[in-house]
Amino acid sequence: MEPRSSIAVLAHELKQNLFSGARLALFLPVRALDFRASIGQYSALVIASLAFSIAGGMLREGFPGHVNFGALTVALAQVPLVLAACVLAARLFREPRLALAFAVLLVATDPLFEIADVAIRLAGEVDAIEPYAAAVNWAFIAWGFAIVARTQLVLTGWRGRASWLALGLFSVMLLSLIWLFPPTEFWVPVQEDTEAETPEASITQEEVIHRQGSLLEEQLAALLPERPGVEDLYFVGVAPYALQDTFYQELTTVKELIDERFDTAGRSVALVNNSATLKDRPIATVSNLRKTLARLGRTINTEEDIVLLHITTHGSSDLQLAFDLPPLELRQLTPTALARMLADSGIKWKIIVLSACFSGGFIEALKDPNTLILTAADSAHSSFGCDYDSEITWFSKALYDEALRRTFSFTEAFELARRSVTAREKAQGYEPSNPQMFVGEAVRRKLAALEKRLSARPSSGKLPPVSATVTSGAAPAHSKRVSSVNPSDSRTVVVNGRE
């Protein structure tokens, strides 16, 4: 019998390693001798793991599409971390040969994770699976830790102190992979959009720059004047995060509701960072927000009228609201900056809604007797629904699209929204975001007068929900995306709706 070629041997050993890796991950009988440990096999297993990930993405996302090379880069960046952990573990056992064995066994189990994920995704409708997303994530993490422990047992048996230290080392490695390298889809579907035939606008294009120079002034000049003797409500909506469509889509829904139901049509301004709106809406920057508020302070009757400011974006634990529009380097919004521009504007009566993580940290700087403040979270927790597949954040969905369709009272709507969000977080196993409300003593009476006026309007009836597709937590098959954004483009990582 003729000897097999080196490629044939490599393929045969790869097949054996993948088969043995599956048995290891499924806790079926397997021995260390069932694996073939070599540098060539480790490299082949890494390539095979990437191939399984791409194939899994194709099955989940469908065609047409393309490989997300950013995700490939992230995956390859994990290799040095895994190898370093394997080398250190081998030193703990005083057997250098174990380093390569650990690496081969661990990566040999990767394809089974991808197969399991695809099977779960394809087992039923997304809507039916979503409530169990958190439980599934934790199950996969627990599975990973169990495989690490079994890998040690298969290769070394239990050797007391050395085994405990190695298990701790590999646990740190897994936690580092989870937090430093969150999973990113390797396959990105091409969005079928009627606007795909026209090139995406960019803030660097000359015509866009010239148009932006006048858009804000045109929008502010078009505001209807205040009506003497009427508590007019003016709306300022800000969606400043351009790297995903969620916030622009939310602002569209919120503005439509407020204009129709709260009588702000002709008295609303929208500042948006999104490639789909660069030619017809002013961009959202801290400077444009300051100009808008200053202009409103000169337009309205500050003793009579109310301004509703709604900002939806990502928030950070150091209390900054994200303003992003690459390649521009925009200033982030802090509590002090927002408080200063509101004070400088001269606007007296204010409703401030902040739909962002850690947004409760803004309350202390903004509160006064004439202000109502509603936030999606407290100062120490994240809020939810700001992932790439969402069309509206959970808090804004509950506050605007549900509660404010039933009542004209913002305080009552907040209590309804808070209960709704809390129940949804509990059902999905998330840590509570703890939405916050501050009500100034003077603004209570002002809001009561506004509520009475709106309730008396002939067109004050309830509106049918306009974002029924949002309640499921997933976009329908034919939903229109505003623009196509790859998750890898964002510097903010969102996993299962949490920042």
Side-chain angles (χ1 to χ4, degrees), residues 176-257:
S176 299
L177 292 176
I178 292 169
W179 295 111
L180 297 179
F181 303 96
T184 304
E185 192 61 77
F186 284 75
W187 182 258
V188 179
V190 174
Q191 300 293 338
E192 296 182 1
D193 197 320
T194 56
E195 298 178 359
E197 297 177 0
T198 59
E200 240 182 29
S202 169
I203 192 63
T204 60
Q205 294 172 347
E206 183 176 355
E207 63 271 23
V208 173
I209 295 174
H210 282 293
R211 187 77 184 103
Q212 276 295 326
S214 58
L215 277 175
L216 180 59
E217 181 57 36
E218 290 176 5
Q219 195 166 145
L220 293 175
L223 289 173
L224 294 176
E226 66 91 20
R227 294 169 290 188
V230 178
E231 291 89 358
D232 281 316
L233 180 66
Y234 283 77
F235 174 76
V236 177
V238 187
Y241 194 77
L243 298 179
Q244 65 187 98
D245 297 336
T246 305
F247 306 108
Y248 167 44
Q249 292 170 162
E250 172 176 312
L251 182 56
T252 300
T253 297
V254 170
K255 184 176 180 300
E256 180 180 316
L257 169 68

Side-chain angles (χ1 to χ4, degrees), residues 14 95-96 113 147 173 202 222 252 259 327 340 347 475 490:
L14 175 62
E95 296 183 39
F113 278 84
I147 288 175
M173 178 198 75
S202 169
T252 300
D259 281 354
R340 171 53 58 191
I347 298 171
S490 174

